[in-house]
Amino acid sequence: MGAVLLTGACTQATGLAGVSAGSPSTSSTGTPEVTATIPAPTPEQQAAEQPPKGDDPVKVPPPKMSKYTYTFPVKGCKTTYQRKLLVLPKTTIWAGQGCSFVAPIGGVVDEVNIQNRWNPATDAGPDREGRFVTIIGDDGVRYLGGHLDSVAEGVRQGVRVKAGQLLGRVGRTGNARDTGPNLYFAISWKTGPAFWWVRRGMVKPWNYLDAWKSGNRTFSPREETLKLRGKLGETPGCAVQCASKRVPQAAKTPKPRKTKTEEQQIITLNPTIAPLRPQ
């Protein structure tokens, strides 16, 4: 009897470290139910789990394409320009009236036209660009900026200029009279003034403009220009938009014919003698 009471007392005793010695509760399936509390992570653990912040990206300059340095030919203004061949291998850079046209590379001024001679009645080829400046760059390439409102002071033939130096102001002279202000920009090679069709553009310029505008300032048209000149010759014949308009001449007014009586009344005087006086 005493042994039985001792056994019952032991079954109600508390187990080790606060764990009940009694039977764990069971679910309806008979599986013991176990609960646990997950401790919150410490600040040190949270910092270790988050990836470290990376450094700012390193800007890698574009590869150097040539020994020459170029700049976009319109400075300080918002611009748009054509990137396809329309009639001639040149482009129209649309910009505000008076925006700066600058030398795309260091070089020497070749041709300067400060007069707007274009006449829509004749549309003469040499006059279509209105006021313009051309330079022969240090790369041996000729660059033309036309339709200028004005030419910068001191810009004349033979003057040395630096890349980015002001050459003129964007305008609408020449056959741009009825359009918005723009810069006629063309790439070619040096010829005499008589071969004006070479001056107005031989090499498509937009790939080079894209590069200079985006930061690749060493992308050079020299190789393409020299290759094309070798293929066509220095002074190829004009092939597109060559002839001027013919102005119809006014019909000549016939001179009135003198009658025989009128001819008899004409007196020719010898300047060495006095006129005849009536008797």
Side-chain angles (χ1 to χ4, degrees):
M1 183 68 178
V4 173
L5 291 175
L6 182 60
T7 304
C10 291
T11 59
Q12 296 178 359
T14 302
L16 296 176
V19 178
S20 174
S23 301
S25 60
T26 60
S27 62
S28 59
T29 60
T31 303
E33 182 178 348
V34 179
T35 59
T37 301
I38 300 175
T42 63
E44 291 78 8
Q45 290 175 327
Q46 288 180 336
E49 292 172 357
Q50 295 181 1
K53 293 183 178 180
D55 296 332
D56 293 334
V58 178
K59 295 182 179 180
V60 179
K64 190 171 183 179
M65 307 296 291
S66 72
K67 66 179 182 179
Y68 307 104
T69 302
Y70 300 86
T71 189
F72 194 78
V74 176
K75 187 176 182 180
C77 291
K78 183 179 179 180
T79 60
T80 58
Y81 52 92
Q82 299 163 331
R83 292 178 173 85
K84 60 182 179 179
L85 179 64
L86 296 177
V87 179
L88 297 168
K90 56 88 180 178
T91 195
T92 300
I93 302 179
W94 300 97
Q97 181 84 12
C99 288
S100 300
F101 163 51
V102 300
I105 186 176
V108 177
V109 176
D110 182 42
E111 292 180 86
V112 179
N113 181 25
I114 61 175
Q115 296 183 2
N116 183 22
R117 300 185 180 92
W118 184 75
N119 184 340
T122 57
D123 190 30
D127 302 332
R128 290 181 184 131
E129 284 71 63
R131 296 186 182 95
F132 67 84
V133 176
T134 69
I135 69 167
I136 305 300
D138 293 336
D139 56 359
V141 177
R142 178 167 59 180
Y143 301 91
L144 163 69
H147 298 328
L148 299 178
D149 183 64
S150 61
V151 174
E153 184 177 357
V155 174
R156 59 185 182 276
Q157 188 178 30
V159 169
R160 175 82 189 174
V161 295
K162 298 179 180 179
Q165 181 174 332
L166 179 67
L167 299 179
R169 298 287 180 181
V170 172
R172 41 192 288 184
T173 58
N175 62 0
R177 186 186 67 174
D178 299 325
T179 70
N182 67 85
L183 179 72
Y184 184 112
F185 185 75
I187 297 175
S188 63
W189 52 85
K190 182 175 175 59
T191 57
F195 303 95
W196 50 268
W197 54 88
V198 177
R199 177 188 68 211
R200 68 183 178 177
M202 299 298 291
V203 175
K204 299 173 185 177
W206 43 85
N207 289 340
Y208 302 102
L209 291 173
D210 286 346
W212 303 341
K213 193 172 186 179
S214 64
N216 189 347
R217 299 180 60 194
T218 61
F219 189 41
S220 176
R222 173 180 168 83
E223 183 177 348
E224 182 180 2
T225 303
L226 294 181
K227 183 178 180 180
L228 185 60
R229 186 182 69 176
K231 178 181 178 181
L232 300 179
E234 185 175 332
T235 55
C238 184
V240 180
Q241 291 185 343
C242 304
S244 303
K245 294 180 181 178
R246 292 185 177 183
V247 179
Q249 296 181 353
K252 294 183 179 180
T253 304
K255 294 182 180 180
R257 299 182 64 182
K258 297 181 176 64
T259 63
K260 187 174 182 180
T261 304
E262 291 174 334
E263 290 177 351
Q264 292 174 346
Q265 293 176 349
I266 297 174
I267 300 175
T268 302
L269 299 178
N270 187 337
T272 61
I273 60 174
L276 295 176
R277 292 181 182 180
Q279 298 294 328

